[in-house]
Amino acid sequence: MDVVEIWSGQHACTLQAALRMTNEAFAERLGIAQRTVATWHTNPAVVPRAEMQQLLDEVYETASPAVRRRFALLASSEGTAAVAGSSAVQPLRVAVAVVIRADQTLLVCRRDDDASGLTWQFPAGVIKPGARAETATVRETLDETGVHCAVVRNLGDRLHPVTGVQCEYFLCEFLAGEARNSDVLENVDVLWVAKTAVTRLIPADRIFPPILAALEEAP
């Protein structure tokens, strides 16, 4: 396979396996967020946006001949099965931060592949193997939004009904920082939103019930 006409999540994961990279290393190589790589693993049929297609083209085209041969092998029907069992595909856990400041909570507007192309979510990030979920919550919130926060309590965990990813949810308190979009490739905006307005941006049936309960608490 000398040319990939259209990259899918499966093709991207195959390239990752050919490079023998972890999710973290592959995301860093592409200059994207780990959650994007994780999405490719959970939804192999997804077709990345045009700018992602270009990034994948560049990595593939600059790969060594050995990597490209390995990619061609893994892309075959026999190789597809090999990717499914590859050590590069790691169980995915995501930490989700519900950051409260008085009567507001912090949301990010992500670029997405749904009809609108935009999705409002709470800040979230991949929990690295061996790392504490609480640490990932604080770190990823700062990296993504520029906001310093502290974990107040664990709100529970679940398999996300849309992505199928294992999510751990944490109620956090605002400490400092100006909210800003620090991940312009993945996000469109970062905003403080009134707690009572969250369900106008995120359908209530997609919000983990303990989050709704936490948002109803007095500031």
Side-chain angles (χ1 to χ4, degrees), residues 33-57:
Q34 286 186 57
R35 63 177 168 272
T36 301
V37 177
T39 297
W40 295 337
H41 284 294
T42 57
N43 187 5
V46 69
V47 176
R49 299 186 307 275
E51 58 266 35
M52 291 291 185
Q53 297 275 336
Q54 293 172 357
L55 291 173
L56 290 162
D57 280 342

Side-chain angles (χ1 to χ4, degrees), residues 52-87:
M52 291 291 185
Q53 297 275 336
Q54 293 172 357
L55 291 173
L56 290 162
D57 280 342
E58 183 178 348
V59 170
Y60 175 72
E61 290 165 3
T62 57
S64 70
V67 168
R68 293 175 67 138
R69 285 194 299 270
R70 191 154 54 239
F71 176 84
L73 175 63
L74 291 170
S76 68
S77 57
E78 179 182 355
T80 299
V83 171
S86 169
S87 60

Side-chain angles (χ1 to χ4, degrees), residues 63-200:
S64 70
V67 168
R68 293 175 67 138
R69 285 194 299 270
R70 191 154 54 239
F71 176 84
L73 175 63
L74 291 170
S76 68
S77 57
E78 179 182 355
T80 299
V83 171
S86 169
S87 60
V89 181
Q90 305 169 1
L92 179 68
R93 294 167 59 224
V94 170
V96 182
V98 182
V99 185
I100 301 298
R101 184 184 70 174
D103 62 347
Q104 297 178 313
T105 189
L106 189 63
L107 295 182
V108 298
C109 185
R110 300 204 195 287
R111 305 179 194 277
D112 210 340
D113 296 311
D114 66 6
S116 69
L118 302 175
T119 302
W120 286 95
Q121 301 176 21
F122 296 97
V126 173
I127 304 170
K128 298 178 182 178
R132 295 178 68 247
E134 292 86 349
T135 302
T137 301
V138 172
R139 182 190 66 243
E140 294 296 332
T141 299
L142 177 60
D143 289 348
E144 189 172 23
T145 70
V147 168
H148 295 268
C149 67
V151 171
V152 175
R153 68 176 187 269
N154 188 314
L155 294 173
D157 62 88
R158 67 167 176 173
L159 283 176
H160 195 279
V162 177
T163 65
V165 171
Q166 183 69 34
C167 296
E168 283 197 53
Y169 298 87
F170 295 90
L171 182 65
C172 302
E173 62 176 340
F174 168 78
L175 296 179
E178 294 292 330
R180 66 178 185 277
N181 183 8
S182 302
D183 189 354
V184 294
L185 187 60
E186 291 297 311
N187 298 334
V188 176
D189 205 354
V190 174
L191 290 177
W192 287 105
V193 177
K195 293 191 291 183
T196 55
V198 170
T199 54
R200 298 179 192 171

